[in-house]
Amino acid sequence: WAQIDALDGKVPESVQVDALQVIWHLLRSLSRWLLSRPGKMPEITTAMARYSDGLKAVRAAVPGVMTAARREVYAARLNEWKGKGVPAALAEQLAALPVLEFGCDIVEIALARKLSPVEVAKAYFALGTALNIPWLYEQVEQLPVDGRWQALARGSLRDELASQARTLVSQILGDGGKKPSDAKVETWLKRDDASLRFTQTMFADLLTQKSLDYPTLSVAVRRLAQLAAAG
């Protein structure tokens, strides 16, 4: 935040506002995550102790933990910030911040499976790319909101999508012995499983649609839940 303020007079004010919006979006996402997690709301010092080191580890590993597709998106964001006149070090931080939106889920899986957050992140992003989960997130974010109930519906879809992604990654990492996390994901994707193939076919069809509405996205998220329930 201080680095952004230090750009007064060096870049257009709109660039500083855009940078602050990236921080605000992440704060909103992490706040929603903490508020909707099961159990009692943790004290701030407890939450910091539980998530801070893992989030720092994931951010430090960017873009190495990403798949090729995600690295392309990261590189495009990085170049965009640099093109706006943002110093390289700050541009790298801003380009990496959207990745941390999934950070708390990654840390929770790491704690449950006794794995490093970086290894979990590799699996998380590999599975996401294979099932087009980032694309689904984008479609949910683009849903129109007209009033409180639609805002709640969109938030619930986003939360449920994150919950199913977390469940699937945790299941995958809990199997396969001591294989590297990305190898476990690859093995899981290559298995002969009718439920997985049906899900992949459904999502491939969704990718051809020009726009998606609430009912269609609800069916897609529900399909992920059925895949997770199938183990």
Side-chain angles (χ1 to χ4, degrees):
W1 207 306
Q3 291 178 72
I4 295 169
D5 285 342
L7 294 177
D8 286 352
K10 299 177 182 178
V11 299
E13 185 179 347
S14 60
V15 173
Q16 292 174 285
V17 172
D18 289 344
L20 292 173
Q21 287 276 15
V22 174
I23 298 174
W24 177 85
H25 184 85
L26 178 61
L27 287 173
R28 184 187 69 167
S29 297
L30 295 184
S31 297
R32 278 182 56 85
W33 191 95
L34 285 168
L35 288 168
S36 63
R37 68 188 291 278
K40 183 181 177 181
M41 183 69 177
E43 295 292 336
I44 186 63
T45 51
T46 302
M48 288 172 65
R50 185 172 183 83
Y51 301 109
S52 180
D53 288 346
L55 289 171
K56 288 177 181 177
V58 173
R59 186 171 72 172
V62 171
V65 293
M66 297 176 172
T67 59
R70 280 185 174 273
R71 278 196 293 272
E72 288 182 8
V73 174
Y74 168 82
R77 284 199 301 258
L78 180 58
N79 289 331
E80 183 180 356
W81 285 116
K82 288 180 177 179
K84 291 178 177 180
V86 175
L90 177 57
E92 289 175 1
Q93 293 180 62
L94 292 171
L97 283 185
V99 177
L100 297 184
E101 186 172 345
F102 316 104
C104 289
D105 282 322
I106 289 170
V107 173
E108 285 291 350
I109 297 170
L111 291 171
R113 294 298 182 190
K114 295 181 172 56
L115 296 168
S116 76
V118 173
E119 278 297 300
V120 175
K122 290 178 182 178
Y124 193 97
F125 296 130
L127 182 68
T129 297
L131 296 182
N132 298 303
I133 293 176
W135 180 82
L136 283 174
Y137 269 109
E138 290 176 7
Q139 303 312 302
V140 172
E141 287 290 344
Q142 292 173 14
L143 286 171
V145 171
D146 182 17
R148 174 172 176 250
W149 293 110
Q150 283 193 347
L152 288 172
R154 186 175 69 176
S156 295
L157 271 177
R158 184 171 48 231
D159 293 344
E160 183 64 16
L161 181 55
S163 175
Q164 300 311 328
R166 182 174 66 245
T167 298
L168 285 168
V169 173
S170 184
Q171 287 178 355
I172 292 169
L173 293 179
D175 203 1
K178 295 184 178 181
K179 288 182 181 178
S181 58
D182 48 356
K184 289 184 179 182
V185 173
E186 185 177 358
T187 298
W188 186 84
L189 289 168
K190 288 182 177 179
R191 65 201 172 96
D192 184 16
D193 182 87
S195 182
L196 174 59
R197 299 292 165 247
F198 182 80
T199 303
Q200 291 174 313
T201 301
M202 174 192 284
F203 286 4
D205 182 57
L206 289 177
L207 284 167
T208 66
Q209 306 300 309
K210 291 183 179 179
S211 62
L212 301 179
D213 54 16
Y214 280 92
T216 305
L217 284 168
S218 295
V219 170
V221 173
R222 180 57 187 162
R223 183 61 231 166
L224 281 179
Q226 292 170 331
L227 184 60

